[in-house]
Amino acid sequence: MDTETNPKFKLVLLLCLFLKSHISYGADSICMDDVISGDSTIVSAGRIFEMGFFRPDSAPNYCIGIWYLKDPTRRAVWVANREKPVKLASQLRMSDGNLVLFDESKLPIWSTNVSSSSATTTTRSVQAVLLDTGNLFLNDESSPSEPLWQSFDYPSHTWLPGAKMGYSKINKTRQILTSWKNSEDPDPGIFSLQLDQSDNSFVIQWNRSKNSWRSGPWDGHIFSGIPQMRVDYVYFFSFVSNKNETYITYSMKNTSTLTCHFEMDVSGQINQVNWLPTNGWNLFWSLPAQQCEVYAVCGAYGSCKSNENSLLFCHCLTGFEPNSPIDWKLKDYSGGCFRKTKLQCETNGSSVELKSIKQLTIIHLSLKYRKWTLPLCSELSC
Ligand SMILES: *[C@@H]1O[C@H](CO)[C@@H](O)[C@H](O)[C@H]1NC(C)=O
Ligand SMILES: *[C@@H]1O[C@H](CO)[C@@H](O)[C@H](O)[C@H]1NC(C)=O
Ligand SMILES: *[C@@H]1O[C@H](CO)[C@@H](O)[C@H](O)[C@H]1NC(C)=O
Ligand SMILES: *[C@@H]1O[C@H](CO)[C@@H](O)[C@H](O)[C@H]1NC(C)=O
Ligand SMILES: *[C@@H]1O[C@H](CO)[C@@H](O)[C@H](O)[C@H]1NC(C)=O
Ligand SMILES: *[C@@H]1O[C@H](CO)[C@@H](O)[C@H](O)[C@H]1NC(C)=O
């Protein structure tokens, strides 16, 4: 883990003393009197990552996120307030030794939530630094390399190089990647990835409970179910297990030529994406390899058809329609489908209307045996 060296930290503190209001000068940290609001951001020292407010295309409200500075689409690699998006008039600033997001009514919406007892010195000396690894690091002037809190401990949907995926045997915490609710809503979705404590394999869970995919055990070099990890010229994985913690981490062989990371995608797949200067983020590989191998990906009464050319993998069974067409459009198929040929009986005097082509035969029946119409309808409806 890179941390700030002392001289650098002093410089930051000096900057903090001189530039107290809004930060838009490219600082890499948020100090006591700084405020991130509107379009102000902080940028890591080596100009790799940027943090500030972002909003997916169709979303009405904003989240605090971290993205690659070179990425004009601001595709987030970490999201703070994913469950509670806010208006742009909100403020991210230090408060009582924590980094806190206040909404436009000045109510705290999200916080690093470090208990004040763990802050050894005064809360004025605590600051949040965005590192070149993409880790947001909360530390104190007295021991700048000791994290009071770090975003790498609380990943959202992305596993960045240098971050750990595993669990602590001391404080019982673990890292879990959780998919977005849909392609434009960072709210935690239905798929999640973690290292399974029982056999130290990666597992994708559906709805936090049902294991839907497993990587196979670590064989000393790779996970047996992930031959793609053998791509030696791209990255280097390491598995660490000691009395304090068990985790796997990786680094890129050459960060100057490759920018890659893993994402728990809305599709229920782990995607490895890489950045190409010419056309942005590209899919390198996915696991499971086929979207249709993902457990329950199309929800109830949905069916999955692999089609290389079509983005729409999920279809409703004949006679069914998506429960939520909007979510389907945004690639959240979990709502499944409902039967559209619902029998609708409306009696008006002696006439019976049945609004379904499939039920024409029943209309004939009902005209013939008018007396039986009502019981027949109510029995058949749905
Ligand atoms: C902070 O922690 C408290 C207690 O652990 C919890 O109730 C609260 O929701 C947390 N707040 C945030 C913003 O995470
Ligand atoms: C839990 O312990 C691990 C080391 O085992 C440490 O890296 C991490 O920061 C700790 N998390 C919390 C929330 O204290
Ligand atoms: C997910 O699990 C919760 C209970 O943990 C349940 O209420 C919910 O209906 C489940 N979601 C789906 C889509 O089955
Ligand atoms: C385990 O944690 C203790 C206390 O935090 C620390 O002193 C020790 O070096 C750690 N051991 C390893 C193997 O990381
Ligand atoms: C990374 O790639 C660049 C361009 O190909 C090359 O000049 C550099 O030596 C490489 N660095 C390492 C550590 O391999
Ligand atoms: C029922 O029939 C009456 C007159 O025949 C008509 O005014 C009314 O709109 C009908 N109601 C429905 C629900 O079709």
Side-chain angles (χ1 to χ4, degrees):
M1 172 94 27
D2 300 18
T3 52
E4 300 302 295
T5 55
N6 252 319
K8 163 107 210 320
F9 181 81
K10 294 246 165 66
L11 178 67
V12 164
L13 259 191
L14 263 173
L15 275 174
C16 283
L17 289 175
F18 286 110
L19 300 153
K20 282 192 171 176
S21 57
H22 278 247
I23 15 183
S24 48
Y25 54 87
D28 68 347
S29 37
I30 303 174
C31 310
M32 191 56 198
D33 300 308
D34 296 330
V35 173
I36 298 248
S37 186
D39 56 9
S40 60
T41 60
I42 58 170
V43 173
S44 68
R47 301 190 59 75
I48 311 282
F49 287 98
E50 184 171 29
M51 182 175 86
F53 287 92
F54 79 100
R55 175 176 73 162
D57 287 344
S58 70
N61 292 320
Y62 291 78
C63 291
I64 289 289
I66 296 174
W67 55 85
Y68 280 91
L69 180 64
K70 64 185 168 190
D71 175 9
T73 66
R74 295 190 164 184
R75 179 183 177 125
V77 297
W78 183 77
V79 186
N81 54 317
R82 48 193 306 200
E83 288 157 55
K84 292 182 191 161
V86 292
K87 299 268 183 285
L88 206 49
S90 305
Q91 294 189 337
L92 182 69
R93 56 183 163 84
M94 299 304 298
S95 172
D96 287 334
N98 279 292
L99 185 62
V100 182
L101 175 62
F102 294 92
D103 70 7
E104 77 277 16
S105 317
K106 306 275 183 284
L107 292 171
I109 288 298
W110 175 89
S111 163
T112 52
N113 233 357
V114 182
S115 63
S116 49
S117 61
S118 71
T120 45
T121 50
T122 73
T123 57
R124 277 201 72 84
S125 56
V126 177
Q127 60 159 8
V129 188
L130 180 60
L131 302 178
D132 280 331
T133 53
N135 192 9
L136 180 65
F137 200 85
L138 199 71
N139 64 10
D140 189 281
E141 187 190 7
S142 59
S143 48
S145 63
E146 286 288 309
L148 297 170
W149 178 96
Q150 54 184 330
S151 61
F152 272 10
D153 283 342
Y154 305 89
S156 41
H157 63 296
T158 301
W159 182 23
L160 288 171
K164 297 173 181 179
M165 280 293 292
Y167 48 90
S168 159
K169 294 165 192 170
I170 300 169
N171 53 28
K172 307 292 174 207
T173 55
R174 55 172 58 245
Q175 285 78 47
I176 301 175
L177 304 187
T178 311
S179 64
W180 286 25
K181 184 180 179 306
N182 62 46
S183 57
E184 295 187 356
D185 185 350
D187 197 28
I190 208 151
F191 296 103
S192 54
L193 177 82
Q194 58 184 291
L195 201 64
D196 188 336
Q197 208 153 345
S198 67
D199 64 353
N200 290 332
S201 63
F202 271 119
V203 61
I204 297 180
Q205 289 194 326
W206 181 83
N207 202 16
R208 320 284 183 277
S209 55
K210 166 127 184 108
N211 292 347
S212 70
W213 176 85
R214 204 173 264 285
S215 68
W218 178 256
D219 74 0
H221 304 283
I222 62 163
F223 286 96
S224 54
I226 316 184
Q228 292 90 334
M229 283 171 77
R230 280 196 208 280
V231 186
D232 280 342
Y233 58 89
V234 179
Y235 30 49
F236 174 74
F237 284 91
S238 56
F239 181 87
V240 176
S241 191
N242 58 39
K243 73 177 189 351
N244 296 346
E245 55 187 343
T246 297
Y247 64 86
I248 177 160
T249 186
Y250 71 104
S251 55
M252 302 307 301
K253 286 268 168 80
N254 193 337
T255 47
S256 65
T257 51
L258 270 172
T259 303
C260 294
H261 61 252
F262 297 90
E263 296 179 347
M264 179 73 249
D265 191 64
V266 175
S267 65
Q269 293 162 297
I270 298 297
N271 284 347
Q272 202 219 289
V273 295
N274 66 319
W275 173 263
L276 298 178
T278 44
N279 48 350
W281 292 108
N282 246 267
L283 181 60
F284 202 33
W285 48 262
S286 300
L287 287 166
Q290 300 296 322
Q291 183 164 22
C292 292
E293 293 171 54
V294 173
Y295 175 79
V297 67
C298 298
Y301 303 110
S303 99
C304 194
K305 284 203 189 91
S306 282
N307 175 357
E308 295 293 318
N309 306 315
S310 163
L311 287 175
L312 186 69
F313 291 84
C314 290
H315 306 265
C316 289
L317 298 178
T318 314
F320 290 77
E321 267 181 3
N323 260 314
S324 170
I326 295 170
D327 286 335
W328 273 57
K329 232 183 189 164
L330 298 170
K331 300 180 189 166
D332 169 18
Y333 307 111
S334 60
C337 309
F338 72 100
R339 191 191 294 273
K340 73 177 165 195
T341 54
K342 194 178 267 180
L343 205 62
Q344 291 177 11
C345 306
E346 286 173 45
T347 56
N348 197 358
S350 58
S351 76
V352 173
E353 288 174 52
L354 293 167
K355 292 179 177 167
S356 161
I357 300 164
K358 268 200 162 179
Q359 311 301 337
L360 276 175
T361 46
I362 298 170
I363 294 182
H364 286 299
L365 262 180
S366 64
L367 291 175
K368 209 168 170 190
Y369 306 102
R370 204 162 272 175
K371 270 187 205 160
W372 295 96
T373 302
L374 279 177
L376 189 66
C377 271
S378 55
E379 250 168 51
L380 285 176
S381 56
C382 300

